[in-house]
Amino acid sequence: MKLPISRRLLACADLVPAGARVADVGCDHGYLGIHLLQTGRAAHVIATDLREKPLQKARANAAQFGTADRMDFFTANGLAAVDPEAVDTVVIAGMGGDNIASILDAAAWVHDPRYTLILQPQTSGNDLRRYLGRAGFSIEAEALVRDGGFLYFTILARFGGGTPLTPGQQYLSPQLLRSGDPLLPAYFDRILNALERTVAGITAGGDEKKLDYYQRALDEVREMRRQYDGT
């Protein structure tokens, strides 16, 4: 039986260093960890989830696909159950960017350049990038993937050297802009459409403080698009 892993999780797997010891936070069905072990990408995986039912399914899947002996499973909030000495790579995918930021902020030990962070927010990507910059994490790379009609971005980050990002960079990082990813035009369209709707809604509501942030983000991303298109 072939492992039914999604394209967005494969995008996370592609960024995992060879031979890594991985913490898969919010593992759900466990497919990412299983894939990493099947392909030799990871040497060991710690799979955690906030809920016991998905974790039971992950255990069953690991047994079915022959990786259970190289996986540990914990019901836990974020990284609370992960031994910092047992991992060198942390993957957090499938949740909001604000939630991912909270998980990283609560685990002081990841504020160390020894750890590779692979982050794939479902929503609030600007909140995650804002947090990373302010907390001193540097974004080393970003990649885009289309899965189920939706565009996801995956961040490779590490502590050290990070600086605060401008509003526009919180929506489209310099690393992603320089990547030359073939999905960048579609990503530009998505971000611009979302920012235009947000600015129109806030303008109607009269919240000047919020309007300043989103208008700056919109103006910056528009300029990025002009430069990207060479116009």
Side-chain angles (χ1 to χ4, degrees), residues 41-219:
R41 195 85 178 190
H44 190 84
V45 173
I46 295 175
T48 77
D49 203 283
L50 190 59
R51 299 164 297 159
E52 179 59 30
K53 189 172 181 179
L55 208 63
Q56 289 177 352
K57 183 64 174 176
R59 287 191 187 96
N61 287 333
Q64 179 181 2
F65 287 98
T67 62
D69 60 330
R70 290 171 288 163
M71 296 181 76
D72 293 315
F73 301 89
F74 297 99
T75 304
N77 187 5
L79 287 158
V82 177
D83 178 357
E85 299 303 319
V87 301
D88 53 41
T89 302
V90 174
V91 181
I92 312 178
M95 59 188 77
D98 49 351
N99 195 6
I100 295 174
S102 296
I103 290 171
L104 296 176
D105 202 48
W109 57 269
V110 300
H111 295 230
D112 184 317
R114 291 181 298 167
Y115 298 102
T116 300
L117 306 180
I118 298 166
L119 315 171
Q120 190 186 77
Q122 297 271 46
T123 59
S124 305
N126 61 310
D127 291 331
L128 177 57
R129 291 194 188 98
R130 182 189 305 118
Y131 168 77
L132 292 173
R134 289 179 177 176
F137 292 90
S138 58
I139 296 174
E140 296 185 353
E142 286 196 39
L144 295 168
V145 63
R146 192 186 295 278
D147 190 359
F150 191 79
L151 273 176
Y152 298 88
F153 66 87
T154 311
I155 294 173
L156 175 65
R158 194 178 308 277
F159 186 74
T163 57
L165 301 176
T166 67
Q169 291 171 340
Q170 292 165 20
Y171 279 88
L172 202 159
S173 72
Q175 292 77 12
L176 182 54
L177 189 59
R178 290 196 299 264
S179 70
D181 195 298
L183 290 172
L184 262 173
Y187 186 74
F188 264 119
D189 290 342
R190 194 191 94 184
I191 295 301
L192 286 170
N193 288 338
L195 283 170
E196 286 166 357
R197 291 195 302 270
T198 300
V199 166
I202 295 172
T203 299
D207 189 331
E208 293 186 8
K209 185 175 180 179
K210 286 182 67 175
L211 179 60
D212 177 67
Y213 169 79
Y214 287 103
Q215 185 65 60
R216 286 176 60 198
L218 177 57
D219 292 344

Side-chain angles (χ1 to χ4, degrees), residues 2-13:
K2 185 179 179 181
L3 186 71
I5 188 170
S6 64
R7 294 184 68 186
R8 71 173 185 86
L9 288 180
L10 288 174
C12 293

